[in-house]
Amino acid sequence: MDILSLVTYAMISSFTPGPNNIISMTRAREHGFKSTFPFIRGVAAGCLLIMMLSSYFNLALHQYIPAITPCLNVFGCIYMLYLAFKIMRSTSSKSESEHNSKKTRYSFWFGFSLQLINPKVILYALTALSVFVLPHAQSHHQLLGYSLLLTLIGISANLTWALGGRLFQRFLLKYERPFNIVMGLLLIWTSVSLIT
């Protein structure tokens, strides 16, 4: 297994701006780092559930339809290219996230529910597991291990954004374009590694 490509994909997908990261950062900036913990615990639980469901969904497809694996690689590559170009073209969502953060309670259940409807996390799980993990690892222990690894990488991103708070937000606002371009280029490199 090319673990470097998996970790690169996971880091880029997790650390780029998304609803969980923006909410964590905004909440920590407004109310302190510890105030984000219930929300981040909910995000972690929801992420782990999605990773496990994706593992077994993909495993069922992998066991009964082995010919679909190359198609999943192509789908994963196309999705990552789409995500890369979307990241490179994205604009600031600061004002929207601040507006939404004032109306939202940051509970465990809010974080958990957000994961279940977050397309970025669902596609991240399906892509990472089907493309990088299942061709090489299929035991229950391996699936649980990789699900935990992907969840931990995602949660480390939430904690990093929350910890950065105002300072990280200022940095991203000041250098948003270069940051997004670098993240997009890294994601393109990862996507090309799927089909080469």
Side-chain angles (χ1 to χ4, degrees), residues 32 35 44 64 80 85 93 112 123 132 139 154 161 166:
S35 72
Y64 298 111
M80 284 190 273
F85 289 111
S93 56
F112 183 81
L123 289 173
F132 296 107
S139 76
W161 278 68
R166 185 181 301 243

Side-chain angles (χ1 to χ4, degrees), residues 2 4-10 12-13 76-77 80-81 131-132 183-196:
D2 187 1
L4 179 61
S5 293
L6 171 63
V7 170
T8 302
Y9 172 69
I12 292 167
S13 296
C77 178
M80 284 190 273
L81 289 172
V131 173
F132 296 107
M183 292 293 110
L185 290 172
L186 286 171
L187 197 51
I188 290 170
W189 171 77
T190 303
S191 69
V192 169
S193 73
L194 295 178
I195 55 174
T196 55

Side-chain angles (χ1 to χ4, degrees), residues 58-179:
N58 283 321
L59 184 59
L61 287 178
H62 188 74
Q63 284 178 339
Y64 298 111
I65 313 169
I68 201 169
T69 302
C71 296
L72 290 174
N73 285 350
V74 171
F75 170 75
C77 178
I78 291 168
Y79 170 69
M80 284 190 273
L81 289 172
Y82 162 76
L83 185 60
F85 289 111
K86 188 171 177 166
I87 288 168
M88 292 190 316
R89 293 183 45 196
S90 69
T91 58
S92 177
S93 56
K94 177 183 177 240
S95 59
E96 180 183 333
S97 67
E98 285 181 352
H99 181 265
N100 290 338
S101 71
K102 292 176 183 172
K103 295 190 216 178
T104 308
R105 295 190 65 222
Y106 296 94
S107 67
F108 174 90
W109 293 111
F110 174 65
F112 183 81
S113 302
L114 181 63
Q115 287 299 80
L116 300 180
I117 60 169
N118 186 348
K120 180 181 173 186
V121 172
I122 294 168
L123 289 173
Y124 160 65
L126 289 172
T127 303
L129 292 162
S130 67
V131 173
F132 296 107
V133 176
L134 288 178
H136 309 286
Q138 297 179 7
S139 76
H140 297 294
H141 291 97
Q142 290 171 317
L143 293 179
L144 178 61
Y146 282 109
S147 295
L148 284 170
L149 173 66
L150 293 170
T151 299
L152 287 174
I153 291 171
I155 299 315
S156 67
N158 293 144
L159 289 169
T160 300
W161 278 68
L163 186 61
R166 185 181 301 243
L167 295 175
F168 195 59
Q169 185 181 32
R170 285 182 186 162
F171 173 81
L172 274 182
L173 290 175
K174 187 174 180 182
Y175 300 106
E176 183 175 19
R177 283 306 281 163
F179 177 79

